[in-house]
């Protein structure tokens, strides 16, 4: 798991960048106030040009990877001020600490989520895909993999860009957390760092959890979940209504949204299922939670979902999971 290792600040007047490291392992090498040329001179393999381009670009979101020696990659994320100065957070993307890092072949895709009231795309769910040898994107079994590091970093980055391109800071991103992710304390620091670094409205980062994910150690999972909640990120209960998803879990969790499993949505024409769904959306509303219908494969059911009280809908009928560029084009075209 990647943790934030410090803060950075770019002073556009003096053209110097300063690093304040919180991780002692890095303070010896990076701490201090640097002219860009000096960084290039001191660190073998330091991509000075790339950093310079990112800092001097007229781009309100800064996000740049820089390589130190020995394959250590740091990511600077942050925001630019009016005068061209900038500041943000530093993440260590690869180091000997990251034995769980799934590696560069993991690619996030983004599936649109529709507001049923506004009939408009108002957010995305980030889903993990792997690039196979032919360069095709394929899904894999994620249940026992720690995915959060790579997916959180890439998805928060994408969210900042989606928001900037549409000038809509309320646009949100759902990101799935696995059981292993919830066992790692550094997750909470990473989420905070991403919110601060990208200057996100915290609730636009929506973390999806299943009861299944918490089963390995419920007490530990609940304490991580409460700490996540305190970062201001939203919590979403995923796959509700099938498999492991009990009312006790709902009673224990300070969640903001409920995603109703596709297996129920598939049977929406069944009157009994409609009664159940209506009761679920009413219960969610009373608990102050939004509801999302998953697995919507036919736009003809949108009026039914509205009448049953759903807030949001997601599924192939409204948009496939797609790479960043096509998701952005899709968002802008709507
Ligand atoms: O468990 P979770 O809800 O996060 O699962 C999302 C999965 O469902 C993704 O793998 C996504 O590709 C898939 N998915 C998304 N929309 C649809 C849909 O309309 N129909 C079906 N069958 N699968 C979908
Ligand atoms: Mn999900």
């Amino acid at each position: 798991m990647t943790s934030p290792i410090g803060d950075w600040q770019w002073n556009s007047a003096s053209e110097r960048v300063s690093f304040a490291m919180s991780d002692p392992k890095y303070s010896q090498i990076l701490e201090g106030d640097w002219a860009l040329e000096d960084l290039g001179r001191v660190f073998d393999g330091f991509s000075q040009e790339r950093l310079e381009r990112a800092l001097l670009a007229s781009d309100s979101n800064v996000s740049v990877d820089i390589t130190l020696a020995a394959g250590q990659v740091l990511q600077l994320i942050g925001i630019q001020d009016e005068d061209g100065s900038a500041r943000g957070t530093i993440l260590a993307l690869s180091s000997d600490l990251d034995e769980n890092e799934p590696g560069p072949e993991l690619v996030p895709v983004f599936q649109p989520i529709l507001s049923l009231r506004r009939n408009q795309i108002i957010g995305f769910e980030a889903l993990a895909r792997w690039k196979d040898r032919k360069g095709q994107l394929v899904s894999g079994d994620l249940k026992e993999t720690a995915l959060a590091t790579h997916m959180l970093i890439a998805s928060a980055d994408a969210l900042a860009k989606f928001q900037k391109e549409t000038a809509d800071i309320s646009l949100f991103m759902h990101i799935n957390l696995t059981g292993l992710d919830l066992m790692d304390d550094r997750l909470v620091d990473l989420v905070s760092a991403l919110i601060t670094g990208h200057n996100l409205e915290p609730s636009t980062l929506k973390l999806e959890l299943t009861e299944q994910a918490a089963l390995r150690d419920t007490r530990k999972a609940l304490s991580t979940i409460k700490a996540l909640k305190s970062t201001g990120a939203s919590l979403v209960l995923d796959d509700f209504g099938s498999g492991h998803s009990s009312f006790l879990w709902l009673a224990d969790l300070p969640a903001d949204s409920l995603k109703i499993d596709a297996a129920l949505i598939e049977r929406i024409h069944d009157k009994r299922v409609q009664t159940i769904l209506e009761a679920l959306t009413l219960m969610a509303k009373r608990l102050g939670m939004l509801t999302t219908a998953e697995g919507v494969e036919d736009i003809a059911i949108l009026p039914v979902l509205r009448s049953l009280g759903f807030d949001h809908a997601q599924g192939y009928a409204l948009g496939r999971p797609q790479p960043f560029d096509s998701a952005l084009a899709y968002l802008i075209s709507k």
Side-chain angles (χ1 to χ4, degrees):
M1 168 82 56
T2 299
S3 355
I5 53 164
D7 297 322
W8 63 273
Q9 193 154 11
W10 163 247
N11 182 325
S12 61
S14 63
E15 301 209 326
R16 293 172 81 86
V17 60
S18 59
F19 297 109
M21 311 306 289
S22 52
D23 183 331
K25 201 171 118 212
Y26 289 94
S27 45
Q28 287 179 356
I29 51 172
L30 269 179
E31 187 84 28
D33 190 41
W34 299 82
L36 291 178
E37 316 79 83
D38 292 339
L39 281 171
R41 225 171 279 138
V42 172
F43 297 106
D44 236 14
F46 184 87
S47 21
Q48 182 200 333
E49 259 169 61
R50 189 125 50 96
L51 179 60
E52 196 165 346
R53 233 181 299 131
L55 291 173
L56 297 177
S58 52
D59 190 340
S60 54
N61 295 103
V62 181
S63 167
V64 59
D65 294 352
I66 52 175
T67 311
L68 294 180
Q72 272 179 331
V73 181
L74 303 184
Q75 185 178 43
L76 270 52
I77 54 176
I79 44 164
Q80 212 173 48
D81 297 332
E82 307 264 294
D83 71 353
S85 292
R87 77 208 109 80
T89 302
I90 312 169
L91 303 172
L93 287 194
S94 66
S95 76
D96 43 355
L97 293 171
D98 294 334
E99 67 275 10
N100 284 325
E101 199 77 63
E105 70 278 23
L106 182 62
V107 179
V109 289
F110 304 97
Q111 183 172 36
I113 297 176
L114 181 84
S115 158
L116 287 165
R117 193 166 51 79
R118 288 158 53 190
N119 202 31
Q120 193 183 322
I121 303 300
I122 52 166
F124 290 91
E125 178 174 357
L127 294 158
R129 296 289 182 270
W130 277 263
K131 230 177 212 158
D132 70 9
R133 264 169 293 153
K134 292 188 209 122
Q136 302 279 74
L137 296 184
V138 294
S139 27
D141 187 17
L142 321 181
K143 296 278 182 289
E144 287 303 310
T145 321
L147 278 177
T149 301
H150 184 91
M151 289 298 290
L152 272 168
I153 291 172
S155 310
D157 198 66
L159 177 59
K161 290 181 181 138
F162 283 137
Q163 290 187 352
K164 188 179 144 227
E165 293 296 330
T166 54
D168 179 1
I169 58 162
S170 72
L171 205 88
F172 58 75
M173 181 71 73
H174 284 236
I175 302 162
N176 293 280
L177 298 181
T178 67
L180 270 183
D181 295 326
L182 294 177
M183 297 301 113
D184 195 329
D185 288 322
R186 289 169 294 182
L187 176 70
V188 179
D189 287 342
L190 179 60
V191 169
S192 300
L194 291 169
I195 289 170
T196 320
H198 288 295
N199 199 27
L200 295 168
E201 159 55 43
S203 65
T204 61
L205 214 52
K206 298 187 184 241
L207 306 173
E208 291 197 10
L209 310 154
T210 60
E211 183 165 11
Q212 178 78 45
L215 284 179
R216 78 173 51 230
D217 180 349
T218 311
R219 192 136 26 118
K220 171 71 186 156
L222 276 176
S223 87
T224 307
I225 289 166
K226 293 205 168 119
L228 286 171
K229 175 85 182 171
S230 71
T231 66
S234 304
L235 300 179
V236 180
L237 300 192
D238 200 5
D239 299 339
F240 197 81
S242 80
H244 289 280
S245 54
S246 69
F247 288 98
L248 274 175
W249 172 238
L250 194 56
D252 280 340
L253 271 199
D256 306 281
S257 316
L258 195 61
K259 289 185 90 171
I260 310 296
D261 197 80
L264 278 171
I265 305 302
E266 204 174 282
R267 293 174 53 183
I268 196 155
H269 297 296
D270 180 334
K271 289 286 174 214
R272 289 177 68 88
V273 171
Q274 287 191 5
T275 305
I276 292 166
L277 291 175
E278 195 167 24
L280 280 177
T281 64
L282 180 63
M283 175 190 66
K285 206 161 280 154
R286 293 269 173 88
L287 291 170
M289 300 164 81
L290 295 169
T291 43
T292 307
E294 296 187 301
V296 175
E297 295 187 348
D298 179 1
I299 55 166
I301 72 165
L302 294 181
V304 187
L305 292 173
R306 277 189 199 101
S307 74
L308 293 175
F310 280 94
D311 299 297
H312 300 162
Q314 179 183 357
Y316 293 162
L318 306 166
R320 294 259 163 186
Q322 49 205 301
F324 177 80
D325 287 341
S326 45
L328 179 61
Y330 186 80
L331 178 64
I332 288 171
S333 76
K334 290 279 146 182

